[in-house]
Amino acid sequence: MGEEVEEVYISNGGNNEENGSEECEWFEEEIDKDLKLSYALNSVLHRGTSKYQDIALLDTKHFGKALVIDGKMQSTEMDEFIYHECLIHPALLFHPDPKKVFIMGGGEGSAAREVLKHNTIKSVIMCDIDQEVVDFCRKYLTANYKAFACDKLNLIINDAKAELEKREEKYDVIVGDLADPVKGGPCYQLYTKSFYHNVLKPKLNYKGIFVTQAGPAGVFTHKEVFTSIYNTLNHVFKHVKAYTTHIPSFADTWGWVMASDHPLTLNSDEINERIKERIKGELLFLNGESLISSTTMNKTVHQSLLDETHVYTEDDARFIYGHGMACYA
């Protein structure tokens, strides 16, 4: 990998003998120009710059191992199950019989791990642009060893747009497990109306479902990209469903959006029954009741979803705070 990224790691200034705390390094994530989150570290397992993005794998004191891309926390060992269960299982459960899944991104392997829990699945394509992210996640994230070794998983290193364009086959579910859209980052084109309409939607089978992570969805952060992604998908698909939940390591509510040309209608009992019939093992976070409740927004976010007019395009994109530091080629 390339040069180390030093500026995101700071010292706490030494020992604090009065309260007994020991000196340690910290990772700071800049949320806004006047707001940062800090995570105490045991160690830095890996850091550097790939062709596409700055990457760090940290061992945090509170959340365990943490993957950081372009200065943004992507997932942590302690609570990644919340994010990935919410990303994967709703779409697969709403689909009547999902067999083939295409994951855009997902290099750490957690999305594939959750897909492979469904006994209906025959094949999973995981397409990530960054070989170096995949390589060190395979090395360090032990929870995903079995997923990477599964015969049903086909790992491809390529741009997801280019890979979908050249493939003739269609999929029951397509998943957007992408980094957040930041200026200078490699992913924002995969949130645009033209990509959804011209590339992605034609690759869905009859009754196919697309689901994507959609960024922060808190009462103060939901207008960054969440409402725009929701509105953009409303211009491409007949049925769109947004849902949110709190992710502790992100210190915010997070959003996802499902979209299909066929109704997304299940009640909590039907969802629980499908979980029982289809999923091997126990889910740690999601059940029918929590999934249904996650589609109910607070008053402010609900109104913003109704009022949003912005459509994501290459020339008129929205970004979360921050900037990709690596060169995108």
Side-chain angles (χ1 to χ4, degrees):
M1 298 189 72
E3 296 181 358
E4 293 184 349
V5 185
E6 298 288 351
E7 63 269 18
V8 295
Y9 305 100
I10 66 170
S11 169
N12 68 356
N15 294 337
N16 187 334
E17 296 180 356
E18 293 182 359
N19 60 23
S21 65
E22 296 181 354
E23 180 180 4
C24 66
E25 288 188 330
W26 293 72
F27 163 66
E28 283 189 348
E29 179 175 348
E30 192 167 347
I31 304 300
D32 210 331
K33 61 183 179 181
D34 55 2
L35 180 63
K36 294 181 179 180
L37 296 177
S38 296
Y39 304 78
L41 302 180
N42 291 315
S43 63
V44 178
L45 299 173
H46 190 96
R47 60 182 173 183
T49 303
S50 75
K51 180 180 178 181
Y52 300 101
Q53 52 208 346
D54 288 329
I55 309 162
L57 188 63
L58 313 177
D59 182 12
T60 70
K61 289 183 178 294
H62 190 80
F63 292 105
K65 293 175 185 175
L67 177 64
V68 178
I69 293 180
D70 282 338
K72 299 293 183 182
M73 186 71 73
Q74 302 299 305
S75 69
T76 74
E77 197 171 30
M78 178 177 286
D79 65 0
E80 60 85 7
F81 69 92
I82 303 173
Y83 171 94
H84 287 104
E85 286 190 13
C86 289
L87 172 68
I88 296 301
H89 296 297
L92 268 68
L93 291 167
F94 273 87
H95 193 282
D97 188 24
K99 289 183 170 62
K100 298 171 65 176
V101 175
F102 188 102
I103 302 170
M104 303 188 298
E108 66 183 277
S110 299
R113 180 197 69 216
E114 294 301 317
V115 171
L116 290 166
K117 290 180 179 179
H118 286 251
N119 58 27
T120 62
I121 295 298
K122 302 300 182 184
S123 67
V124 183
I125 304 291
M126 187 177 84
C127 181
D128 197 284
I129 198 171
D130 202 325
Q131 179 76 61
E132 296 188 53
V133 169
V134 174
D135 286 346
F136 79 70
C137 287
R138 291 180 78 161
K139 179 178 180 180
Y140 289 107
L141 301 184
T142 57
N144 299 332
Y145 280 174
K146 289 184 179 179
F148 278 116
C150 183
D151 292 339
K152 294 180 181 180
L153 178 65
N154 182 10
L155 171 60
I156 296 171
I157 304 301
N158 196 7
D159 173 74
K161 178 176 182 290
E163 189 66 29
L164 281 172
E165 285 176 329
K166 76 177 186 180
R167 285 181 169 266
E168 296 183 0
E169 62 183 334
K170 295 187 177 184
Y171 304 91
D172 300 309
V173 176
I174 297 178
V175 178
D177 188 16
L178 304 165
D180 299 317
V182 296
K183 288 183 179 179
C187 292
Y188 81 91
Q189 298 96 332
L190 302 182
Y191 292 94
T192 61
K193 179 183 177 182
S194 62
F195 171 70
Y196 292 150
H197 185 271
N198 299 329
V199 179
L200 186 147
K201 186 176 179 180
K203 299 301 181 181
L204 284 171
N205 280 325
Y206 177 70
K207 293 190 177 181
I209 299 174
F210 170 60
V211 62
T212 184
Q213 80 90 12
V219 68
F220 298 122
T221 55
H222 64 279
K223 290 186 179 181
E224 292 180 7
V225 294
F226 177 62
T227 56
S228 179
I229 293 170
Y230 173 82
N231 187 58
T232 302
L233 286 167
N234 261 320
H235 281 74
V236 178
F237 291 91
K238 294 179 181 178
H239 303 277
V240 179
K241 188 181 293 288
Y243 55 103
T244 66
T245 201
H246 180 72
I247 306 293
S249 61
F250 294 174
D252 204 352
T253 300
W254 213 254
W256 300 264
V257 183
M258 279 192 295
S260 179
D261 277 346
H262 297 270
L264 299 167
T265 54
L266 288 177
N267 61 41
S268 60
D269 289 338
E270 291 169 326
I271 293 169
N272 284 330
E273 186 61 29
R274 287 189 176 183
I275 290 173
K276 182 179 178 180
E277 292 174 351
R278 297 182 183 181
I279 294 179
K280 293 170 283 186
E282 292 288 330
L283 298 182
L284 298 176
F285 179 78
L286 203 67
N287 59 19
E289 291 77 13
S290 65
L291 175 51
I292 294 300
S293 68
S294 72
T295 64
T296 301
M297 308 293 143
N298 64 61
K299 181 179 179 180
T300 297
V301 176
H302 175 72
Q303 192 61 47
S304 294
L305 289 172
L306 294 177
D307 294 343
E308 183 61 77
T309 60
H310 179 261
V311 174
Y312 222 100
T313 68
E314 290 83 352
D315 297 325
D316 186 14
R318 287 183 182 174
F319 303 99
I320 67 169
Y321 185 83
H323 198 287
M325 300 176 190
C327 176
Y328 178 67

